[in-house]
Amino acid sequence: MRIAIIGTGYVGLVSGACFSDFGHDVICVDKDAGKIAALDDNVMPIFEPGLDSLVARNVAGRRLSFTTDLASAVGQAEAIFIAVGTPSRRGDGHADLSYVYDAAREIAAALVGPVVIVTKSTVPVGTGDEVERIVREIAEAPAWVVSNPEFLREGAAIEDFKHPDRIVIGAEDPHAEDVMRELYRPLYLNKAPLLVTSRRTAELIKYAANAFLATKITFINEIADLCEAVGGDVQDVARGIGLDGRIGAKFLHAGPGYGGSCFPKDTLALLKTAEDAAAPLRIVEAVVKVNDTRKRAMGRKVIQAMGGDARGKTVTLLGLTFKPNTDDMRDAPSIAIVQALEDAGVTVRGYDPEGTEQARPLLPNVTLLDNPYDAAEGADAVVLVTEWDVLRALDLDRLAARMKGSVLVDLRNIYPREEAEEAGLQWHGVGRPDPN
Ligand code: NAD
């Protein structure tokens, strides 16, 4: 099938590369000419494991191409995916749908034949109705609008796209449903469950899933605080509850609070939907508040670990992206932690294996180094923020030798306390109280 994908970011590029790998004929569109020029030179605009070879293979097979010319891409397509950003609207937390509606207008103006338009961006309930209204108003050719939210995780995006837990399709029309089934046929032959719902329900499923996962993380983070206060070990609590099949072990890792390009903005947008509908989601409201407070509280935790006096001290953050295996810095906890430390008069240094370029404009006062040991030079404390593989097996003796002080704040509970202490470091984890 001939597919056009509007928006060649983390979701659009991975979806386009994977659909082309299934044998579809895909053209990815972006208005960022630099991004398209880089892709034409087989330079990936994002870091995602395995993406460069997947793209190269399908470009060579002539199933995947890139353009800035939306009209020509749309003119040839049988299905058009909208995969543009839906960030938080400045000031009020509503999803900013201007990119989605702009794309819908541009698509509508370029339509020449019947087509299925698929919203893959995460959009509030009712957005599909508005996209349909826009398209009907402008386009002469018939078009069906479908919701097909994406659940891939950055860092494991290709595996997630090719082996999804489920595919959700919100379609109001049997023809549109047939086209979607055809598009995803290679996947459901592999037994990926395909759930067909109304368009509004599909839109809600995506937000409900993200809000639930954010709740699970926030729940275990609060249990971690309780463990610290009363003397329990959150790792054991998480294992003890996670082995219960009704609860499940995933998303029960205590840490610095969730961040990233989805959970923060999606929980806020869901709250706005609920507020507008006068159907408040009080649990999600609490999750958002607790998580916001937590990220800055991690800065205070580091200061406390250094004895409470921060001014003039130097702290090194290891891992800056919101999670490993991505260069994405959007709403990363490191940003709030740096802010809290700098506000207290701390000089911050940092290291990230892939996120340096994206981190630089967001953390302008942080000195970014090329390896963790150089970053630790002269530090009073080192903070492990993001659990990249290269940061899971640090030589702690070497790290300690480069530091001025001896505090290691392990916000991901990676290192055993004994190992850190053997290297002469004072280890502080999350939800794991000091032994005395
Ligand atoms: P992104 O910012 O990486 O990419 C969006 C791209 O769209 C940008 O390259 C931008 O230049 C382009 N664009 C915007 N308007 C355009 C237009 N009119 N024509 C052509 N290109 C246009 O965003 P992303 O992270 O890929 O997210 C896209 C959507 O998918 C969001 O709604 C997000 O919530 C959702 N989502 C993201 C993830 C994730 O892990 N990143 C996972 C699931 C769902």
Side-chain angles (χ1 to χ4, degrees), residues 6-11 29-32 35 83-86 99 103 106 121-122 150 152 154 206 261-262 265 330:
I6 316 304
T8 307
Y10 288 87
V11 165
V29 183
D30 207 286
K31 61 182 179 185
D32 180 340
K35 217 175 237 192
V84 300
T86 47
Y99 302 100
E106 291 173 61
S121 300
T122 302
E150 181 51 57
L152 64 77
E154 288 174 20
K206 174 67 190 175
S261 58
C262 293
K265 78 171 176 65
R330 287 178 280 188

Side-chain angles (χ1 to χ4, degrees), residues 220 233-243 248-249 252-253:
I220 201 67
D233 186 328
V234 75
Q235 305 272 96
D236 291 339
V237 174
R239 192 164 152 73
I241 65 174
L243 284 169
L252 286 181
H253 301 286

